[in-house]
Amino acid sequence: MTTALNGLNFQFTEEHLAVQQAARDFAQTELLSGVIERDEKEFFPEELVRKMGEMGFLGMMVSPEYGGGGMDTVSYVLAMEELSKIDASASVMVSVNNSLVCYGLEAFGTEEQKQKYLVPLASGQHIGAFALSEPEAGSDATSQHTTAEDMGDYYLLNGTKNWITNGGRANTYLVIAQTHPEKGHRGINCLIVERGMEGFQIGKKENKLGIRGSDTHSLMFTDVKVPKENRIGSDGFGFKFAMSTLNGGRIGIAAQALGIASGAYELALQYSKERKTFGKPIAEHQAIQFKLAEMATQIDAARFLCLRAALDKDNHQDYVKSAAMAKLFASQVAMDTTIEAVQIHGGYGFVKEFHVERLMRDAKITQIYEGTSEIQKIVIARELLK
Ligand code: CAA
């Protein structure tokens, strides 16, 4: 048995099952109605954000000391899967807020930063965004063109960020920027930027293929004065900070991909029992049975990888490789499964009322954000070759 498999225990506790049920119920009662309209019109109402906060989803892994749910990563995976079955635009907000913003602040922030920024984020009163990507720095995250010039007691922030989830609605932005270009990735910092700081402008909203209810914007910084106390960690820690938070973020996105896949599978299974061709339900045709068997097997394998990564993190084991493997595999399963789910639905799968076409469009982003599939392979290979 390899180290990564030590401590594997898929016995869920009562708390795990309660969280899973709460997320399932919330998705059915609050997210399902209106999900098609939100996708079509590209919006996500404040009222629903507030309800997700009240349910505790937005800060579920933050310790109770800072107003969070104090839950483990397994609970997070279970909740992410259930929410993503119905609405991946909602679940990406949960994932970014928990994994990238709250985790980053709790793990690396000062006590003052935690009190000021983490507490309102953990309750969902505030929403966070993580601003790493740039027009010319996506996969190659060290090539930051955004600059944070050291001016003594503040940083002068200049530059543009692209494709920022929660970009238009966040209150707190973790912005990665270059301070000492001669030091490469060791010259990068992460600054906490507040919405409304002078010189900070929210740019255009993206018109996307999928997760259209999610709010994705570019951000522009022009001579924004960010106080020194808003830097996370020591001078030059920003790149390490980004990489470390993304490791956990990848577990969230893997669980999102798992949810998109299992949501599409459940719809296809149900439909195949109801739809008749050649005198019998299509589920009785072997062509459909082969598809369902393949989908269910892939989904179970993706679920095991997601839970292994979550357990590695909960057991304080190194989870860089297991998180990247979970994201790589689950996002491929999401893509494959949703395409097959559309195929099983035939012509109905190609129209908006049947959910599977949206799930197919939503699946694609899981192979792109928080590191493309190619990046996950690089991360995995580096760990294997260490
Ligand atoms: N965990 C912790 N530290 C890591 C790390 C990881 N996974 N990967 C690298 N590091 C550290 C290294 O140890 C190294 O530290 P030292 O200076 O102490 O040696 C430092 O970071 C630099 O590492 P590399 O030289 O390996 O860096 P690199 O330039 O070769 O890049 C990469 C590595 C894996 C390709 C990285 O650039 C990467 O992950 N890119 C993808 C970025 C990404 O995921 N972007 C997504 C944007 S955010 C988003 O999508 C949010 C959203 O909207 C939902």
Side-chain angles (χ1 to χ4, degrees), residues 203-332:
K204 84 171 165 69
K205 181 171 172 160
E206 301 294 349
N207 181 0
K208 307 190 295 292
L209 172 74
I211 56 161
R212 287 168 59 79
S214 168
D215 176 63
T216 311
H217 284 256
S218 56
L219 309 175
M220 280 93 73
F221 304 98
T222 312
D223 289 339
V224 181
K225 288 182 180 174
V226 185
K228 262 283 171 62
E229 64 262 25
N230 281 25
R231 185 185 72 210
I232 300 186
S234 56
D235 188 23
F237 179 65
F239 189 74
K240 279 268 194 147
F241 170 83
M243 291 300 108
S244 304
T245 51
L246 279 166
N247 291 329
R250 288 168 184 160
I251 302 176
I253 298 306
Q256 180 185 53
L258 170 66
I260 292 171
S262 51
Y265 163 76
E266 285 172 15
L267 290 169
L269 181 70
Q270 186 60 33
Y271 180 81
S272 71
K273 290 179 191 167
E274 290 161 4
R275 169 78 167 159
K276 287 189 177 149
T277 60
F278 306 102
K280 54 185 178 183
I282 61 170
E284 290 179 24
H285 296 302
Q286 236 181 20
I288 301 297
Q289 290 175 357
F290 286 173
K291 287 188 195 299
L292 292 171
E294 178 76 20
M295 290 156 95
T297 306
Q298 295 284 321
I299 288 167
D300 268 8
R303 187 174 290 112
F304 286 139
L305 285 178
C306 287
L307 290 171
R308 183 194 50 181
L311 284 171
D312 278 348
K313 183 162 180 282
D314 289 339
N315 292 336
H316 309 289
Q317 308 241 14
D318 191 328
Y319 57 93
V320 174
K321 181 172 61 131
S322 54
M325 282 182 168
K327 182 179 180 293
L328 173 67
F329 189 76
S331 61
Q332 185 63 51

Side-chain angles (χ1 to χ4, degrees), residues 96 100 130 132-133 138-139 141-142 163 165 185-186 239-240 243-244 246-247 250 320 369-371 375 379 382:
V96 168
L100 300 184
F130 182 82
L132 171 66
S133 302
S139 293
T142 54
W163 313 294
T165 304
H185 71 264
R186 293 195 180 135
F239 189 74
K240 279 268 194 147
M243 291 300 108
S244 304
L246 279 166
N247 291 329
R250 288 168 184 160
V320 174
Y369 57 22
E370 303 203 18
I375 289 291
V379 172
R382 284 182 180 189

Side-chain angles (χ1 to χ4, degrees), residues 20-35 38 44-45 47-48 51-52 54-55 57 82-83 85-87 90:
Q20 185 183 46
Q21 191 60 50
R24 191 174 292 160
D25 292 346
F26 183 82
Q28 285 295 330
T29 56
E30 300 290 347
L31 297 178
L32 183 57
S33 70
V35 65
R38 293 195 295 275
F44 198 87
E47 173 70 0
L48 268 183
K51 285 183 179 170
M52 289 202 296
E54 282 171 5
M55 287 295 294
F57 294 130
E82 293 305 322
L83 299 175
K85 280 181 185 175
I86 305 295
D87 189 351

Side-chain angles (χ1 to χ4, degrees), residues 15-282:
E15 192 192 13
H16 290 143
L17 296 174
V19 172
Q20 185 183 46
Q21 191 60 50
R24 191 174 292 160
D25 292 346
F26 183 82
Q28 285 295 330
T29 56
E30 300 290 347
L31 297 178
L32 183 57
S33 70
V35 65
I36 292 172
E37 190 190 3
R38 293 195 295 275
D39 170 76
E40 202 150 312
K41 298 190 179 155
E42 301 179 273
F43 76 104
F44 198 87
E46 283 307 321
E47 173 70 0
L48 268 183
V49 182
R50 189 182 57 72
K51 285 183 179 170
M52 289 202 296
E54 282 171 5
M55 287 295 294
F57 294 130
L58 292 167
M60 54 190 297
M61 290 189 292
V62 177
S63 78
E65 192 187 340
Y66 299 108
M71 291 177 208
D72 61 12
T73 318
V74 169
S75 303
Y76 174 55
V77 163
L78 295 174
M80 279 296 295
E81 179 182 355
E82 293 305 322
L83 299 175
S84 307
K85 280 181 185 175
I86 305 295
D87 189 351
S89 295
S91 70
V92 71
M93 198 183 301
V94 171
S95 185
V96 168
N97 214 62
N98 271 288
S99 289
L100 300 184
V101 184
C102 289
Y103 170 81
L105 283 165
E106 185 161 10
F108 303 108
T110 62
E111 189 53 33
E112 291 70 31
Q113 289 169 347
K114 290 179 200 179
Q115 292 299 339
K116 186 170 178 188
Y117 297 108
L118 178 59
V119 169
L121 283 163
S123 67
Q125 193 193 331
H126 281 182
I127 295 295
F130 182 82
L132 171 66
S133 302
E134 296 190 354
E136 290 172 76
S139 293
D140 181 6
T142 54
S143 294
Q144 293 290 311
H145 285 56
T146 298
T147 54
E149 200 183 335
D150 190 339
M151 306 298 283
D153 48 3
Y154 64 90
Y155 286 101
L156 203 58
L157 185 64
N158 279 288
T160 301
K161 294 288 174 182
N162 264 23
W163 313 294
I164 306 305
T165 304
N166 301 339
R169 65 158 23 105
N171 314 82
T172 305
Y173 297 76
L174 304 187
V175 181
I176 310 296
Q178 182 60 264
T179 300
H180 312 284
E182 71 289 356
K183 292 187 184 167
H185 71 264
R186 293 195 180 135
I188 290 173
N189 279 310
C190 176
L191 305 180
I192 307 169
V193 176
E194 291 174 26
R195 184 190 190 86
M197 278 183 168
E198 206 180 326
F200 174 19
Q201 271 185 300
I202 293 163
K204 84 171 165 69
K205 181 171 172 160
E206 301 294 349
N207 181 0
K208 307 190 295 292
L209 172 74
I211 56 161
R212 287 168 59 79
S214 168
D215 176 63
T216 311
H217 284 256
S218 56
L219 309 175
M220 280 93 73
F221 304 98
T222 312
D223 289 339
V224 181
K225 288 182 180 174
V226 185
K228 262 283 171 62
E229 64 262 25
N230 281 25
R231 185 185 72 210
I232 300 186
S234 56
D235 188 23
F237 179 65
F239 189 74
K240 279 268 194 147
F241 170 83
M243 291 300 108
S244 304
T245 51
L246 279 166
N247 291 329
R250 288 168 184 160
I251 302 176
I253 298 306
Q256 180 185 53
L258 170 66
I260 292 171
S262 51
Y265 163 76
E266 285 172 15
L267 290 169
L269 181 70
Q270 186 60 33
Y271 180 81
S272 71
K273 290 179 191 167
E274 290 161 4
R275 169 78 167 159
K276 287 189 177 149
T277 60
F278 306 102
K280 54 185 178 183
I282 61 170

